[in-house]
Every structure is written in structure tokens, then in C-alpha cells.
């Protein structure tokens, strides 16, 4: 039935707590769906499957039920993070040793990062490791002519297994280039936004109207920076197509177009993930976010107040960075507390060094100059945890992260934000509450009032 199997790798390791709630996330691999869409345009019949948090053996059995043993083409596996490598190793062993799959090809630009040989040594059952974007490499891998891809590829959600369970993503731009020390796209040049005409066409083809949680799109962009003309065209396209869906995007304090908030609301924006990162003037400078912290924080205040007044729900992202102290944490807490009424939720976590040892050594050195030390770089290849300072070690930073998040996010708001983009569309609030009662744990949201 299916010619080509495109698989987004699952995870044995959960980045945050390995509880039932965190394992409910459906992270759509829209980059892989772009490749599957191109394969479909070439005349083949691909399917995209997600491993999520399913055990490799169980997932392999599901792939068998979908006909993977009959494919004559390579099985493509996308590795979205270093947390997925151990899963891939077990799964590919099953593919090669038991299912006798002829060729297994893996990709994942942020994981591989030019280090093909290093990854290949960790994945002995993989036949080929492909670095970078794969869109214009498919022709050689499949042995058939595929026209060169220029620009963004419309995502064909019909190729996505259990598509009704996933909230859709629409890639609207690539790159950032703002040089933040902790960002993987710091040197990737920002590309122009996708045309609203193309976005409207994709949305019309993607959105399902059913009895499940309403579909809402995530406008994927490392730095969302719309112009007034782009927004007006998007508003016009929504009217032409009678679109009423809401969407979400991520942006920075210093680039989000505050003056365009009314237009953003008219264009359907409902949730903003705001990369504040810190409200400590010292940490803002150390991160390279701004050389004028007072101006930066004033703009952030103005932004979230106006967004809230206009009906946009703001989730604030906080990064605990090298050099943190009780004073800097308190500065961030006080700022969040002052803006509590305008904040829908807070996501907090300590800085981690991702990447191969030879690629992240300079970053780790820069963190050490600020007072950080390595906590653990052995337990998980590609991920180095850090003691942020002499007063805040790694485990303390995890506790602070959870305390901060829980202080400014209720269980109800957490569910709302997750359902908007990540939870399976059939996962109800009642089921969510039941899962919390079954597995009593220390969550990153407040459960005192449920």
C-alpha cells in the first residue's frame, strides 16, 4: 500500500520529567513531512509515522502492520534531537536484523551538524547518514528524478498517519541570524516569510472540522517578524477563504511588531511564545539578548500588556543561564510577578549545551567564563548539563525552573496551551485531570486548585 516509510524517531528519554502528562505530547515533525510531500509529488506513495514515546519494539510491530516489510525503497528516519538517538539505535537494529529492511537512511540537521561519522559510529545498523536539508537529495536516494525544490514545500497532511490527532504546523520562514549564544540558528540567515496566498492554500487543505479539539496552526519560524503588508494580505486571504482558525507563533521581545498587534489579532493570532529569557539586567547582557536591559524590559512590558488587552495569550519562555544567582533569579521572579495578570503561562529551563563535543566546546568555554561548570556530559551523548554558578548547581536549577513555572501557570492554562499545539486532539481536560490524580508528581504547573 505504501512505497516509502518516513519515520520521525521516538524517544526513550524525556527531556523533562518522564510522567504521563509529558508523554502525551505529539511533536509533529514538519520537516520530515516536507520530505514526504516531495516524495508524493514524485509519484510514489509515502507515509509518515511518529515514534513519539512508544517503545521501539511496539512501534516496529505497528510498522509491520502498516506494511513496512514490503517496501522496496529506503526507510527514512528523522532524528529530531539527541534524546532520540538511543531509540533509533534499537529500532534500526530491529529493522535490519529482524525485518531485513534493505536500506535505512537517517537525517536530522540539528543533530548531525556535519558530524556524519560520529553519528554513524553510534548507529551501526544505519546504512546512510544524510547531513543538512534533505529536500534536494531525495532524487539520488530514491533513484528517480525529482525536480529541484526552491522555496517552501506545501505540506501534504494526507501522508501523516493519524493526521486527525496532530495539531498542524505551517513553516512560514527559516533562519534567524540574531547571534544569541545559546541558539542553534544564530548564524542561519533569516529568509523571507512565506506568501499569505500559499499559507491560505495550505490551511484550506489541512484543517479538519470534526468533534475533536479545534485545529489551530503553529506558524513555524525561528524568528517571526511579519510586516504590515504581509499581515494585511493574510487578513485578506482569511476573508477570501472564510478562514476562522487561530494560530500561534514564537518571537523575540526585540523583534515582535508591537504596533501591529491589532493586525495580528485580525489575522487570527491567538498565542504568542515570547522569548524573554530573563528579566535580570545582568543575565540579559550575558546572554547577548540586549546591551540596554532597561529598554529591553520596558519593551517586553509594553508588548505583553498590549497583547493581553488585544486577546493574545502570551506564554513567556525563561532560560536560566550561566552566572545565575539568587539575586538574578529574584529579579526575574519579581518582573514576572508584576506582569502576572498578562501572562498565560511560563516555560522555564536551565541552559544546556547541545551538540558534538567538538562543536560545542567554544560555547561551553563561554559559559565557564561566566561561572558555570559541567555537571554531566557523559550520561547522554550530545547533551551537557551544567552547574550555572557556585551557588546554583544543576539540580537546584531544575528545582527553580519548576518552582517558577508552577508559580505562574495553572493546570488549566497549561492544558490550554498544550492542547493548542501539542496534545493529541482527542485528549480531554477530564482525562488530563484524571492522569494527574493517577500519577501524583511534581508538575511544572499548579495543581492546588483542581
Amino acid at each position: 500500500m505504501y512505497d516509502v516509510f518516513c519515520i520521525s524517531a521516538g524517544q526513550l528519554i524525556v527531556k523533562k520529567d518522564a510522567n504521563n502528562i509529558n508523554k502525551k505530547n505529539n511533536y509533529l515533525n514538519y520537516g520530515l513531512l516536507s520530505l514526504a510531500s516531495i516524495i508524493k509529488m514524485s509519484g510514489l506513495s509515502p507515509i509518515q509515522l511518529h515514534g513519539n514515546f512508544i517503545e521501539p519494539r511496539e512501534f516496529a510491530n505497528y510498522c509491520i502492520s502498516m506494511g513496512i516489510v514490503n517496501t522496496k525503497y529506503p526507510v527514512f528516519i528523522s532524528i529530531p534531537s539527541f534524546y532520540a538517538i538511543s531509540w533509533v539505535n534499537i529500532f534500526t537494529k530491529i529493522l535490519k536484523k529482524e525485518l531485513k529492511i534493505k536500506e535505512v537512511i537517517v537525517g536530522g540537521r540539528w543533530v548531525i551538524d556535519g558530524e556524519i561519522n560520529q553519528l554513524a559510529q553510534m548507529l551501526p545498523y544505519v546504512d546512510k547518514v544524510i547531513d543538512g536539508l534533505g529536500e534536494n537529495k531525495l532524487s539520488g536516494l530514491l533513484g528517480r528524478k525529482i525536480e529541484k525544490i526552491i522555496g517552501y514545500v506545501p505540506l501534504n497532511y494526507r501522508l501523516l498517519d493519524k493526521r486527525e490527532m496532530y495539531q498542524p504546523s505551517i513553516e512560514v520562514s527559516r533562519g534567524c541570524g540574531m547571534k544569541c549564544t545559546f541558539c542553534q540558528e544564530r548564524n542561519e540567515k533569516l529568509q523571507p516569510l512565506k506568501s499569505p496566498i500559499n499559507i491560505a492554500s495550505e490551511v484550506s487543505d489541512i484543517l479538519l472540522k470534526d468533534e475533536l479539539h479545534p485545529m489551530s496552526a503553529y506558524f513555524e519560524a525561528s524568528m517571526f517578524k511579519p510586516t504590515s503588508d504581509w499581515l494585511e494580505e493574510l487578513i485578506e486571504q482569511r476573508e477570501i477563504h472564510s478562514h476562522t482558525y487561530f494560530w500561534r507563533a514564537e518571537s523575540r521581545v526585540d523583534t515582535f511588531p508591537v504596533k501591529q498587534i491589532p493586525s495580528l489579532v485580525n489575522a487570527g493570532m491567538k498565542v504568542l511564545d515570547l522569548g524573554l529569557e530573563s528579566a535580570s539586567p545582568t543575565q540579559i547582557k550575558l546572554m547577548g539578548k540586549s546591551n540596554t536591559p532597561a529598554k529591553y524590559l520596558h519593551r517586553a512590558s509594553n508588548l505583553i500588556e498590549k497583547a493581553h488587552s488585544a486577546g493574545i495569550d502570551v506564554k513567556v519562555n525563561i532560560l536560566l543561564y550561566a552566572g545565575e544567582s539568587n539575586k538574578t533569579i529574584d529579579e526575574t521572579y519579581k518582573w514576572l510577578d508584576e506582569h502576572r495578570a498578562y501572562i498565560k503561562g511560563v516555560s522555564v529551563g536551565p541552559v544546556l549545551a547541545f551538540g558534538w563535543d567538538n562543536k560545542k566546546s567554544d560555547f561551553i568555554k563561554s559559559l565557564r567564563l561566566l561561572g558555570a561548570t559541567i555537571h554531566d556530559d557523559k550520561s547522554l551523548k550530545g547533551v551537557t548539563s551544567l552547574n550555572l554558578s557556585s551557588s546554583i548547581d544543576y539540580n537546584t536549577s531544575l528545582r527553580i525552573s519548576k518552582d517558577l513555572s508552577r508559580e505562574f501557570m495553572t493546570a488549566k492554562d497549561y492544558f490550554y496551551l498544550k492542547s493548542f499545539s501539542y496534545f493529541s486532539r482527542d485528549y480531554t481536560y477530564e482525562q488530563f485531570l484524571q492522569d494527574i490524580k493517577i500519577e501524583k508528581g511534581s508538575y511544572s504547573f499548579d495543581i492546588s486548585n483542581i
Side-chain angles (χ1 to χ4, degrees):
M1 183 178 179
Y2 301 109
D3 296 321
V4 183
F5 283 76
C6 299
I7 295 170
S8 180
Q11 293 180 200
L12 297 172
I13 304 166
V14 184
K15 183 178 180 181
K16 295 186 178 180
D17 292 340
N19 55 52
N20 285 331
I21 301 300
N22 285 335
K23 291 181 179 180
K24 295 293 184 182
N25 289 307
N26 282 346
Y27 294 115
L28 174 65
N29 191 327
Y30 66 92
L32 182 61
L33 188 55
S34 174
L35 298 185
S37 300
I38 295 169
I39 294 171
K40 178 65 175 178
M41 289 188 288
S42 76
L44 295 174
S45 297
I47 184 171
Q48 177 166 328
L49 307 168
H50 284 78
N52 294 319
F53 298 102
I54 306 169
E55 289 291 326
R57 172 65 61 183
E58 180 183 351
F59 185 72
N61 289 337
Y62 182 70
C63 291
I64 292 171
S65 73
M66 301 296 285
I68 195 170
V69 294
N70 299 318
T71 184
K72 298 177 182 179
Y73 292 91
V75 170
F76 293 95
I77 302 176
S78 171
I79 309 177
S81 79
F82 282 95
Y83 293 98
I85 291 179
S86 57
W87 187 98
V88 173
N89 188 40
I90 297 171
F91 181 66
T92 53
K93 182 178 181 180
I94 296 171
L95 291 183
K96 296 295 292 186
K97 293 294 186 179
E98 299 180 30
L99 307 189
K100 307 300 181 183
I101 298 299
K102 183 178 180 181
E103 187 173 27
V104 176
I105 299 175
V106 301
R109 59 188 299 219
W110 301 123
V111 172
I112 299 169
D113 195 21
E115 299 300 319
I116 293 175
N117 291 335
Q118 288 201 61
L119 183 62
Q121 289 176 10
M122 297 180 68
L123 300 174
Y125 303 101
V126 168
D127 297 293
K128 289 181 183 176
V129 178
I130 305 299
D131 189 27
L133 296 172
E135 288 145 337
N136 287 310
K137 299 175 182 179
L138 285 172
S139 182
L141 297 173
L142 292 171
R144 57 195 294 130
K145 183 174 176 58
I146 299 175
E147 295 297 324
K148 185 176 181 179
I149 302 299
I150 300 175
Y152 302 105
V153 177
L155 302 183
N156 187 343
Y157 274 75
R158 294 179 181 84
L159 309 178
L160 178 61
D161 183 47
K162 300 176 182 176
R163 64 169 294 208
E164 72 279 3
M165 298 302 173
Y166 288 81
Q167 290 290 9
S169 293
I170 297 176
E171 188 177 27
V172 298
S173 77
R174 293 178 180 176
C176 177
M178 292 296 285
K179 307 297 182 181
C180 289
T181 57
F182 52 83
C183 178
Q184 287 185 298
E185 284 201 282
R186 58 186 174 273
N187 297 317
E188 296 282 332
K189 184 178 179 181
L190 180 65
Q191 297 183 15
L193 286 164
K194 181 185 289 183
S195 162
I197 294 176
N198 292 337
I199 291 174
S201 176
E202 280 190 58
V203 169
S204 295
D205 193 51
I206 290 171
L207 295 186
L208 301 176
K209 294 182 179 179
D210 49 31
E211 300 302 316
L212 303 178
H213 193 86
M215 273 197 167
S216 49
Y218 204 121
F219 280 13
E220 300 284 355
S222 294
M223 186 171 69
F224 183 59
K225 194 175 179 181
T227 64
S228 56
D229 289 343
W230 186 87
L231 285 171
E232 289 306 314
E233 187 176 356
L234 182 60
I235 292 169
E236 181 181 344
Q237 288 298 316
R238 287 173 66 86
E239 293 175 351
I240 290 172
H241 292 270
S242 300
H243 286 160
T244 59
Y245 70 96
F246 292 118
W247 51 271
R248 177 176 186 167
E250 180 179 8
S251 193
R252 296 165 50 109
V253 168
D254 51 358
T255 60
F256 189 79
V258 180
K259 292 182 179 179
Q260 295 173 9
I261 285 177
S263 294
L264 285 160
V265 173
N266 289 335
M269 186 177 205
K270 184 58 180 173
V271 177
L272 168 65
D273 291 299
L274 184 65
L276 177 74
E277 313 307 353
S278 178
S280 165
T282 300
Q283 295 305 101
I284 290 170
K285 284 186 175 182
L286 292 182
M287 291 181 192
K289 294 295 291 186
S290 175
N291 290 321
T292 54
K295 183 179 179 181
Y296 177 87
L297 292 173
H298 176 74
R299 178 180 172 86
S301 296
N302 185 43
L303 192 166
I304 66 169
E305 289 177 27
K306 289 188 174 180
H308 174 77
S309 297
I312 295 176
D313 297 315
V314 180
K315 180 176 78 71
V316 177
N317 296 328
I318 298 294
L319 179 70
L320 303 186
Y321 202 63
E324 295 283 2
S325 64
N326 291 333
K327 180 177 181 292
T328 62
I329 297 295
D330 191 53
E331 287 170 334
T332 294
Y333 173 86
K334 287 181 177 178
W335 191 93
L336 292 172
D337 192 40
E338 290 170 1
H339 299 82
R340 184 186 294 266
Y342 312 115
I343 297 171
K344 192 70 170 176
V346 176
S347 178
V348 189
V351 64
L352 298 169
F354 291 99
W356 304 99
D357 292 344
N358 57 305
K359 291 294 181 72
K360 63 185 176 185
S361 58
D362 287 345
F363 179 51
I364 291 176
K365 182 178 179 180
S366 71
L367 297 177
R368 283 182 166 180
L369 291 173
L370 302 178
T373 57
I374 291 177
H375 170 74
D376 184 10
D377 62 350
K378 304 296 184 185
S379 61
L380 180 61
K381 187 68 175 180
V383 182
T384 301
S385 56
L386 301 137
N387 303 308
L388 302 184
S389 65
S390 59
S391 59
I392 299 179
D393 63 18
Y394 176 66
N395 290 324
T396 301
S397 73
L398 293 179
R399 177 184 58 76
I400 293 171
S401 296
K402 191 169 289 185
D403 288 346
L404 271 178
S405 181
R406 189 162 46 230
E407 175 69 21
F408 297 100
M409 185 161 55
T410 66
K412 187 174 182 180
D413 286 340
Y414 176 89
F415 179 82
Y416 162 76
L417 291 168
K418 285 289 186 178
S419 295
F420 198 94
S421 302
Y422 300 114
F423 280 160
S424 178
R425 291 181 60 236
D426 64 347
Y427 189 49
T428 67
Y429 185 58
E430 290 71 25
Q431 291 171 328
F432 170 73
L433 295 178
Q434 187 62 30
D435 282 338
I436 293 173
K437 292 176 182 177
I438 292 172
E439 188 178 40
K440 295 185 181 298
S442 179
Y443 296 101
S444 58
F445 48 86
D446 182 19
I447 63 172
S448 62
N449 292 320
I450 63 173

